[in-house]
Amino acid sequence: MSALDWQNISKAADIIRNGQLVAVPTETVYGLAGDATNDRAVAKIFEAKGRPSFNPLISHIADLDMAKSLAEFSDLAESLATALWPGPLTLVLPRRQNCPVSKLACAGLDTIALRQPKHPITLALIKSLGRPLAAPSANPSGQISPTIADHVRAGLGSKVDLILDGGPCNIGVESAIVKISGNDVVLLRPGGISREELQKCIGRPISLLEHSQPDGTAIEAPGMLTSHYAPNAKVRLDVITPQEDEAFLAFGDSPLHDHKLNLSPSRDLTEAAANLFSMLHTLDNLCKEKNIHKIAVSPIPKNGLGDAINDRLRRAAATEK
Ligand code: TXA
Ligand code: MG
C-alpha cells in the first residue's frame, strides 16, 4: 500500500473512533462502515441508507481471534472460517454473552454475522482500530450495490465523511451468508463463494433458505425484502431477443443491440459477477439519458456464481417492496 493509503487509513480510523462513517472497499462491494460497538454510529448507518432497522448488519473483523471474542465458534464454524477467510463468506453464529457489538447492529437477534474482508485497505483499517466495523453495502437501501468509489459518491456522497478508494471490487457480488446453529448449516444468501465450494469445504450438503417474506420479527436472510438491488428502470429476465426500446444486459453470444453491455462474452461466471452491479449502474444511467424504461437481461446459468447472480437479478426485477 502507498503512503497515501496509510495516511487515509489513519484519517479513516480517527473518523470511525469519532462515531462517524467511512465508505470502505472490500473484495465484494463497497461497505458503509462505522464502529460496530457504538450504537450511535450504527444508527447513523441505518439512517444514511434509509434501511429498515430490523435488517441486521455484518460485523467485519480483522482476524479469527477478534471473531471469537464476538461469537461462539463450533468446530464446523472454525473450519469454514480457517479455510475461507479472508474472503466473501459471512458466518451467522450465536452471539457471545459479553459481545460488545451494538444490539442494534444485530437487530436484537441472538446471532451475529461476521466476515473477514480481503481488501488490504479495509483489513488494515480494522486492525488499526482493534474493533469490528459494522458495514452494509454502501448504497441507499434497496438500490444497486456499489463496486467502485464513484457509485458510492453518486448514491451516498453527502452522507459519508470519507470514501476510501480501493479501486474496483474484484468479486463484485456480496458475500455468501452461511448460518450455523448446532449441526445445521443453511445458506441464507448465495454470494461470492459458490454453494458447491462451500459444500466441498465441509464435505456435506448445505441447504438453501428459500426466499420467503419477512414476518418482521426475526429476519433470516438478507434482501428478504423481495425488491432489492433495484435500478430505476424495470428489469426483464431471461430474454433471448430484447426489444429495441430496451437496454440489454447480455451474457455469452447475443444479438446485436444499440444499448447493450455484455456481462461476459466468453460465458465466464466470475467475470459476470464482477461486472454485474457496475453494468446495471451504467445501463440504468443510459436508460435515464435515452428515456428508455426497461433493461432486458439474458438467461444466466444456475451453477456456481450463477446462483448469486440470478438471486440479485431476481430481486432487481421484483417490483414488490
Ligand atoms: O459482501 C458483503 O457481504 C457486503 C460487504 C460490505 O461486506 N456487505 C453486505 O451487507 O452485503 P448487507 O448489509 O447489504 O447485507 C448483509 C445481510 C443483511 O441483509 C442481513 O439480512 C444479513 O446480512 N444478516 C446480518 N446479520 C444477520 C443475522 N444475525 N442473521 C441473519 N442474517 C443476518
Ligand atoms: Mg446490500
Side-chain angles (χ1 to χ4, degrees), residues 171 173 191-194 196-197 269-270 273 301 303-310:
I171 291 181
V173 286
I193 292 185
S194 70
E196 291 91 327
E197 274 176 86
L269 286 167
T270 305
N303 58 303
L305 286 188
D307 242 5
I309 297 172
N310 280 301

Side-chain angles (χ1 to χ4, degrees), residues 28-29 58 88 90 137 142-145 171-177 187-193 208 211 221-231 235 237 249 263 272-273 276-277 280 297 300 304-318:
T28 58
V29 300
I58 298 171
T90 294
S137 52
Q143 296 186 15
I144 308 169
S145 299
I171 291 181
V173 286
E174 295 84 350
S175 57
I177 303 182
L187 183 59
L188 297 183
R189 173 175 76 181
I193 292 185
L208 174 65
H211 308 297
M224 271 185 85
L225 309 169
T226 312
S227 170
H228 213 86
Y229 314 103
V235 174
L237 302 180
L249 186 60
L263 286 168
L276 177 67
F277 289 134
L280 275 174
V297 186
I300 312 286
L305 286 188
D307 242 5
I309 297 172
N310 280 301
D311 173 84
R312 305 308 186 268
L313 284 171
R314 260 197 315 273
R315 294 176 198 282

Side-chain angles (χ1 to χ4, degrees), residues 89-274:
L89 168 71
T90 294
L91 291 175
V92 173
L93 302 172
R95 235 178 108 108
R96 280 185 86 106
Q97 216 152 33
N98 58 353
C99 172
V101 168
S102 152
K103 292 228 162 69
L104 184 59
C106 298
L109 301 173
D110 55 9
T111 52
I112 183 167
L114 298 174
R115 177 165 107 79
Q116 184 188 19
K118 202 170 191 170
H119 200 292
I121 289 184
T122 299
L123 260 187
L125 173 62
I126 307 171
K127 276 199 179 120
S128 90
L129 281 164
R131 60 185 104 153
L133 277 183
S137 52
N139 52 280
S141 191
Q143 296 186 15
I144 308 169
S145 299
T147 53
I148 53 174
D150 272 349
H151 295 156
V152 182
R153 240 167 251 130
L156 290 178
S158 60
K159 299 188 172 154
V160 287
D161 300 290
L162 176 70
I163 299 174
L164 287 176
D165 190 342
C169 304
N170 59 10
I171 291 181
V173 286
E174 295 84 350
S175 57
I177 303 182
V178 172
K179 181 172 180 178
I180 303 180
S181 34
N183 256 336
D184 281 353
V185 189
V186 181
L187 183 59
L188 297 183
R189 173 175 76 181
I193 292 185
S194 70
R195 189 169 164 195
E196 291 91 327
E197 274 176 86
L198 291 165
Q199 292 180 153
K200 203 156 56 175
C201 189
I202 60 168
R204 63 173 160 116
I206 295 181
S207 56
L208 174 65
L209 187 89
E210 286 310 323
H211 308 297
S212 50
Q213 286 299 326
D215 63 11
T217 47
I219 195 153
E220 273 285 22
M224 271 185 85
L225 309 169
T226 312
S227 170
H228 213 86
Y229 314 103
N232 290 311
K234 283 217 160 67
V235 174
R236 200 161 72 88
L237 302 180
D238 297 324
V239 176
I240 307 287
T241 315
Q243 285 153 14
E244 261 170 42
D245 63 348
E246 293 179 314
F248 185 29
L249 186 60
F251 179 80
D253 282 338
S254 58
L256 286 175
H257 191 279
D258 280 348
H259 307 305
K260 175 170 90 167
L261 289 177
N262 199 323
L263 286 168
S264 174
S266 64
R267 301 181 64 80
D268 173 343
L269 286 167
T270 305
E271 180 184 30

Side-chain angles (χ1 to χ4, degrees), residues 7-20 22 125 128-129:
Q7 205 179 320
N8 282 334
I9 288 168
S10 109
K11 195 162 141 196
D14 287 343
I15 292 173
I16 302 256
R17 273 190 213 100
N18 213 11
Q20 293 165 290
V22 174
L125 173 62
S128 90
L129 281 164

